[in-house]
Amino acid sequence: MLKFKNSAKNLIAVTRTTYSRYYSTLEPAEHAPGQEENEAWLTSLENSNFDENFYFKKISNEKPKEYQKTPYRFINEDTDTGIMNINLLINTQTIKSSPYSSLSARQRPKAESNFSDVRVLKLSSGNGGNGSISFFRDAGRSIGPPDGGDGGQGGSIYIQAIEGLTSLNKLKQSYRAGDGEKGQQRQLDGATGKDILINVPVGTIVKWIPDPLILKEQGKEVQDYIEYPVEARGETMEDYDPKFIQIRRDDYKVGEGWLFKDNDKTEEWHKDKEFFNTLNMKVSKYDEKIIKEEEVGDLFPLHGLDLSQPSPAPILLLKGGTGGLGNMHFLTNDVRNPRFCKKGRKHLQGHFLFELKLLADLGLVGLPNAGKSTLLRAISNARPRVGHWEFTTLQPTIGTISLGFDKDSFTVADIPGLIKGASQNKGMGIDFLRHVERSGGLVFVISLGNNDPVADFEVLLNEMGERVQNKNILVAATKADLENTQERFVKLKEFVEKQNGWKIIPVSAQNQENIENLILLMGECAGKL
Ligand SMILES: Nc1nc2c(ncn2[C@@H]2O[C@H](COP(=O)(O)OP(=O)(O)OP(=O)(O)O)[C@@H](O)[C@H]2O)c(=O)[nH]1
């Protein structure tokens, strides 16, 4: 049999009588699928039985119709998507306002340049490259068999929580993965678009949110939406409790997405031809498969992705578009001269809210200037800022405390001081409490240098509200080295011990007094002893 190679040097000249004879006696270009292979592939598509249940189960409860106009839809099936572990679902937490909103302009840039725990990012994956329409050519022959390669896969956006990061401030405002390149002649597939991997600190929660600009136009606040992802849009329905958001690609439907080579023989011309319609019916099955895979793959947990552990591998957030098929796939018995290929599938785009909740075993809670940072310096390797003025601590610091070489160590988070009215956003507000929210225990740091430590403790308990529930509590009465603190300590001890038998210990962080005992009690509070 005569060989038709894709290199001119290897080409064996053939004399052809008719076009069809030419094709029936020649094999196509070296790696391009041949006519027989294409026929077999199209037949397999025709007979293929995609697990419709698998795909449609997830969207069967999709309601109501008008939501479908939006570029996203809610899905309420609680099924594993195959790319994301459902166990990662968490409850939505409230975000009220910028943690820095109440700071003076002088303080703000300092705080924001080093630390950021809430960010909104615009993310887009890449478009799939278009297929290519090309025919083998050489000097002796004006046109050969189709050899147009496939478009490259669009780049995807991945996220990975890694240890050693403590802030979201390095993230950019938007990320866009690369587009797949278009297919090339000689069966060359287009290059794959560049993926993007976003590294975040362990403890980051990622939530999908609608475009903040659109929300603004509608007079809605991103914050409201985050607090009640569905309710704030007035879209809650009885028995409708969506678990996923499906961000949709504004793209061609099954049987569409063809690109044609000739200006005069466009889609209209082809749609009149039986050979094209027959082929399109078969290729539609391929479209269906790709689109169904997108429906499943493009789901995101509505209540967010909680990266509370280092991610063993990057997690796919937004998948790039699939590359379009080149014309080499469409050479069949009926289609001798496929002057068409498929477009690449489009990218996905969405806005995501990144919220960092540092993960420490214990949280230090106290009024400004109570001595929290000094205490953390005394007991751990952390070096938080210490000052004589209030609100020295503008960003949370985490210290690690060792209980000895044969015991677990534990971590302690120092957060900015709370003041009366903090829950109404006074001082630094209470947004920083997100960083002690997931701690098993809280250590209240009360200064014995203040006149009425009991009243101080009451202020803190008021501001903390229900946040103290289900937590181990310890009170560190600090600055015990100061004069006349004995009597204050006795009163405070009495008050503390009345509260569910909580423990209290006097210390002087400055003079390193009673620190060993404090560490032991803290280890107990952290559940490590
Ligand atoms: N005498 C004495 N002074 C202390 C002790 N601990 C802290 N101080 C002083 O109290 C002041 C406040 O200490 P910080 O550790 O910055 O207090 P903070 O609670 O972290 O303050 P904010 O950052 O405002 O929340 C500093 O001047 C410290 O030197 C102590 O045990 N004894």
Side-chain angles (χ1 to χ4, degrees):
M1 183 186 279
L2 291 168
K3 290 271 179 198
F4 185 95
K5 299 273 185 187
N6 66 347
S7 145
K9 277 188 195 155
N10 297 333
L11 191 78
I12 300 165
V14 286
T15 351
R16 56 191 165 133
T17 42
T18 64
Y19 217 61
S20 67
R21 166 126 184 258
Y22 171 75
Y23 275 106
S24 60
T25 53
L26 288 176
E27 280 181 8
E30 203 163 34
H31 302 295
Q35 170 195 319
E36 274 172 29
E37 274 171 272
N38 285 339
E39 294 280 359
W41 170 63
L42 291 165
T43 313
S44 77
L45 283 177
E46 221 172 5
N47 300 334
S48 64
N49 192 6
F50 302 120
D51 184 355
E52 307 250 322
N53 259 342
F54 175 76
Y55 291 113
F56 285 120
K57 202 163 59 183
K58 296 179 178 57
I59 52 171
S60 57
N61 290 318
E62 175 205 348
K63 295 283 183 298
K65 278 263 155 13
E66 60 266 28
Y67 294 171
Q68 297 183 13
K69 288 190 206 127
T70 61
Y72 50 85
R73 59 181 167 186
F74 298 116
I75 313 278
N76 67 356
E77 270 306 315
D78 201 349
T79 329
D80 195 341
T81 63
I83 55 156
M84 252 173 236
N85 189 342
I86 302 304
N87 296 334
L88 295 172
L89 284 181
I90 54 126
N91 288 327
T92 318
Q93 297 299 332
T94 311
I95 295 175
K96 287 229 161 59
S97 59
S98 156
Y100 304 104
S101 53
S102 51
L103 289 185
S104 73
R106 220 183 90 243
Q107 287 168 313
R108 202 169 303 167
K110 215 186 294 162
E112 272 173 342
S113 62
N114 298 330
F115 184 78
S116 141
D117 52 9
V118 182
R119 295 288 303 272
V120 173
L121 269 65
K122 183 178 171 187
L123 305 178
S124 321
S125 59
N127 291 314
N130 292 334
S132 142
I133 307 168
S134 154
F135 294 89
F136 184 85
R137 269 162 208 276
D138 68 46
R141 192 173 303 102
S142 59
I143 191 151
D147 69 353
D150 301 341
Q153 165 83 33
S156 300
I157 305 259
Y158 294 88
I159 182 170
Q160 185 167 23
I162 57 170
E163 274 171 312
L165 294 179
T166 50
S167 170
L168 301 174
N169 68 319
K170 294 248 164 71
L171 297 183
K172 291 199 286 185
Q173 268 185 337
S174 67
Y175 290 90
R176 171 108 163 68
D179 292 337
E181 279 176 28
K182 75 191 263 270
Q184 304 287 320
Q185 56 188 22
R186 311 207 163 192
Q187 316 110 43
L188 284 177
D189 290 346
T192 305
K194 205 163 178 258
D195 289 335
I196 284 184
L197 173 61
I198 302 175
N199 283 326
V200 293
V202 176
T204 304
I205 294 167
V206 184
K207 287 182 202 134
W208 171 88
I209 56 166
D211 186 336
L213 281 180
I214 294 178
L215 282 183
K216 208 170 168 191
E217 275 167 24
Q218 296 173 347
K220 290 176 185 162
E221 298 262 335
V222 170
Q223 283 81 0
D224 297 340
Y225 203 95
I226 295 154
E227 194 171 348
Y228 307 108
V230 183
E231 288 87 337
R233 294 173 50 85
E235 286 170 355
T236 317
M237 294 170 56
E238 259 174 58
D239 303 327
Y240 186 68
D241 176 23
K243 300 281 191 302
F244 294 98
I245 180 84
Q246 185 187 54
I247 313 159
R248 306 172 101 178
R249 292 164 205 259
D250 180 19
D251 210 347
Y252 62 79
K253 307 211 168 39
V254 171
E256 298 174 357
W258 290 99
L259 281 173
F260 298 91
K261 190 174 174 71
D262 305 302
N263 287 336
D264 53 336
K265 289 177 183 168
T266 55
E267 191 151 5
E268 249 102 89
W269 184 89
H270 279 89
K271 279 196 169 155
D272 269 355
K273 306 286 173 238
E274 205 187 318
F275 79 87
F276 181 75
N277 289 330
T278 313
L279 176 76
N280 195 16
M281 256 167 57
K282 295 177 183 172
V283 177
S284 289
K285 284 282 189 176
Y286 176 79
D287 295 345
E288 224 171 283
K289 178 173 173 282
I290 299 287
I291 291 170
K292 281 173 193 165
E293 276 169 8
E294 287 172 358
E295 282 178 349
V296 179
D298 298 347
L299 294 182
F300 188 79
L302 195 57
H303 295 291
L305 195 59
D306 185 356
L307 303 172
S308 59
Q309 303 283 332
S311 340
I315 298 169
L316 179 62
L317 270 195
L318 296 176
K319 192 164 191 287
T322 306
L325 294 175
N327 73 335
M328 65 180 177
H329 297 282
F330 306 124
L331 167 71
T332 67
N333 248 338
D334 301 335
V335 187
R336 313 309 313 176
N337 187 16
R339 298 172 77 81
F340 43 75
C341 67
K342 292 288 279 198
K343 291 180 189 166
R345 298 285 299 168
K346 286 199 183 155
H347 70 288
L348 268 186
Q349 181 184 302
H351 288 81
F352 289 85
L353 180 105
F354 286 56
E355 184 190 6
L356 173 61
K357 292 186 181 181
L358 291 175
L359 296 163
D361 297 309
L362 291 180
L364 294 186
V365 182
L367 297 181
N369 238 357
K372 295 183 300 303
S373 307
T374 312
L375 196 74
L376 189 59
R377 285 174 80 104
I379 59 176
S380 76
N381 54 357
R383 286 290 163 265
R385 275 156 54 99
V386 174
H388 296 280
W389 53 90
E390 296 193 341
F391 297 123
T392 325
T393 310
L394 295 179
Q395 63 190 59
T397 314
I398 295 212
T400 307
I401 290 133
S402 166
L403 289 166
F405 66 88
D406 56 342
K407 304 229 168 51
D408 279 353
S409 54
F410 61 94
T411 50
V412 179
D414 177 26
I415 57 166
L418 281 184
I419 60 164
K420 190 170 179 182
S423 47
Q424 275 82 52
N425 224 9
K426 289 224 176 106
M428 299 278 290
I430 53 165
D431 290 311
F432 278 109
L433 290 181
R434 70 164 64 90
H435 300 298
V436 295
E437 205 172 86
R438 304 202 266 189
S439 305
L442 295 175
V443 178
F444 284 92
V445 181
I446 312 280
S447 165
L448 294 176
N450 287 7
N451 283 338
D452 191 350
V454 172
D456 290 352
F457 189 37
E458 279 179 317
V459 167
L460 294 176
L461 287 178
N462 257 333
E463 298 303 328
M464 292 296 287
E466 291 185 351
R467 290 180 189 83
V468 296
Q469 275 174 15
N470 305 322
K471 299 239 194 246
N472 297 330
I473 307 283
L474 174 68
V475 176
T478 187
K479 308 196 190 178
D481 54 285
L482 295 176
E483 304 267 300
N484 308 322
T485 51
Q486 184 70 21
E487 201 184 319
R488 291 176 192 162
F489 176 71
V490 172
K491 278 195 193 151
L492 182 63
K493 185 170 189 285
E494 218 169 81
F495 180 80
V496 168
E497 286 175 348
K498 265 194 259 159
Q499 320 274 335
N500 307 319
W502 293 346
K503 289 191 179 165
I504 177 166
I505 176 168
V507 290
S508 165
Q510 194 166 280
N511 300 351
Q512 291 278 331
E513 279 173 77
N514 223 11
I515 294 298
E516 290 298 306
N517 289 329
L518 172 70
I519 290 176
L520 289 178
L521 282 180
M522 285 174 81
E524 199 181 291
C525 189
K528 301 284 176 184
L529 282 176

